[in-house]
Amino acid sequence: MTPVPVPVPAPEEVELDLFLEALYRLYHYDFRSYSRVSLHRRADLARERLDCATLSDLQRRLLREPDVLPAVIDAMTVQVSEVFRDPAYYLALRREVIPHLSTFPSLKVWVAGCADGEELYSLAILFREEGLFDRTLFYATEINRRALAKAEGGVYDMARMAHFSQNYQQSGGRASLSDYYTAAYGRAAFDRSLRRKTVFTEHNLATDQVFSEVHLVSCRNVLIYFDATLQDRALGLFAGSLARGGFLGLGSHETLRFSAYSHLFSAFDESQRIWRRTARQEGDHAR
């Protein structure tokens, strides 16, 4: 009987696997279940930034030179966002979700994968304008420590503010975005009061557990970088974190329609990727 040939993986796939394993085993950053296409692109970016000829060279430096870790994590995580990105999403929150959230005596909002903080400040401004800010605690979480520090600083290039202002107006903003920041030396710093109700903390959707009982999870344009298994894990965390009647907002190209947890939600405004936590699952506490 002729033996069935065993497929031989391409060398670049083996290199990528070894690099990811080193990153996980040494530093506990787990990218192994991210989309392979995205992983190749981000790992190549890390390799180029650190002037390594191959991923094997990058792995060697990662093993022997811990100081390169922040640069590697910067390359491996995607920090591209905008204040009030996809204004129709925030308009839907303002008009459709806020009236429901306003019935809770106190609120918790989880901004998962907050990147450099643009989504957090968008929500803080929206909640302030709708009168919910003072009774809301925001959790801004991110795997990248340097991005988390930038989010906490709340300082952005002034050149970006004109576009941010357009987004804000299209999202139903009630004032001028310039009311919320101070400009100097080509930079714009959001008012410190916008983050006085925010806890900034590291959290890894690939390895960490349920974060806290919350009323809104906003995790936009993060799941698109995960494979199907990791997407389900993240959605399970969101389902486990949300109070019944709470809301989940995803990015414009993300869905929970085919998730193992879809039965725990009802479509609230699927055109804007907003779902509501409705059903109970085994292990839920009374909420």
Side-chain angles (χ1 to χ4, degrees):
M1 183 176 179
T2 304
V4 177
V6 177
V8 177
E12 57 268 23
E13 295 295 335
V14 176
E15 277 192 315
L16 180 60
D17 287 340
L18 293 174
F19 163 69
L20 296 174
E21 192 67 24
L23 194 56
Y24 173 64
R25 293 181 65 179
L26 264 70
Y27 303 106
H28 309 294
Y29 286 98
D30 192 354
F31 293 97
R32 296 172 299 176
S33 293
Y34 280 49
S35 158
R36 294 297 286 193
V37 173
S38 176
L39 282 173
H40 277 291
R41 184 168 59 248
R42 307 308 297 185
D44 278 341
L45 179 60
R47 178 184 57 75
E48 291 169 2
R49 286 182 178 178
L50 289 165
D51 198 25
C52 295
T54 66
L55 274 184
S56 294
D57 292 336
L58 180 60
Q59 181 197 19
R60 178 191 56 78
R61 292 194 64 186
L62 196 62
L63 292 170
R64 303 298 180 186
E65 303 173 38
D67 289 349
V68 306
L69 179 64
V72 170
I73 297 302
D74 278 351
M76 294 299 295
T77 54
V78 180
Q79 311 301 330
V80 179
S81 191
E82 300 172 359
V83 174
F84 290 96
R85 180 179 182 178
D86 299 325
Y89 168 76
Y90 291 96
L91 187 61
L93 290 181
R94 191 185 294 270
R95 291 179 174 176
E96 302 171 32
V97 174
I98 289 293
H100 293 277
L101 293 181
S102 65
T103 64
F104 292 93
S106 62
L107 294 164
K108 292 181 180 179
V109 174
W110 180 13
V111 185
C114 71
D116 290 342
E118 292 94 332
E119 187 176 352
L120 168 69
Y121 291 104
S122 304
L123 290 169
I125 290 169
L126 191 157
F127 273 60
R128 175 171 288 184
E129 292 186 348
E130 299 303 322
L132 299 184
F133 183 82
D134 288 334
R135 54 172 148 144
T136 302
L137 180 62
F138 297 88
Y139 296 100
T141 67
E142 172 59 44
I143 187 176
N144 185 327
R145 295 175 186 174
R146 293 208 288 203
L148 196 61
K150 185 170 182 178
E152 191 165 5
V155 178
Y156 303 95
D157 289 338
M158 189 62 200
R160 304 180 69 195
M161 302 311 289
H163 181 57
F164 291 174
S165 293
Q166 289 178 351
N167 287 349
Y168 166 73
Q169 293 298 330
Q170 292 170 13
S171 74
R174 299 184 182 276
S176 169
L177 187 64
S178 61
D179 294 339
Y180 299 103
Y181 66 83
T182 303
Y185 305 105
R187 309 284 279 171
F190 277 105
D191 194 300
R192 291 178 180 271
S193 65
L194 290 173
R195 54 186 179 274
R196 68 179 174 84
K197 301 284 300 239
T198 300
V199 176
F200 294 89
T201 189
E202 288 183 60
H203 184 274
N204 190 334
L205 294 172
T207 57
D208 293 333
Q209 300 305 310
V210 169
F211 190 71
S212 176
E213 182 174 289
V214 298
H215 303 88
L216 169 64
V217 175
S218 192
C219 181
R220 310 197 68 239
N221 307 298
V222 174
L223 299 186
I224 55 175
Y225 299 104
F226 296 172
D227 69 11
T229 300
L230 186 51
Q231 285 181 12
D232 244 22
R233 186 186 196 280
L235 291 168
L237 292 181
F238 300 155
S241 298
L242 279 165
R244 293 184 69 197
F247 294 87
L248 170 64
L250 301 177
S252 58
H253 297 292
E254 298 168 334
T255 184
L256 57 70
R257 181 180 291 273
F258 306 107
S259 165
Y261 300 93
S262 61
H263 65 287
L264 300 177
F265 292 85
S266 62
F268 185 79
D269 184 342
E270 198 164 0
S271 69
Q272 298 306 321
R273 300 299 193 266
I274 300 172
W275 285 266
R276 194 169 194 186
R277 177 76 154 83
T278 51
R280 295 177 63 86
Q281 64 178 334
E282 185 177 350
D284 271 357
H285 299 293
R287 294 176 174 178

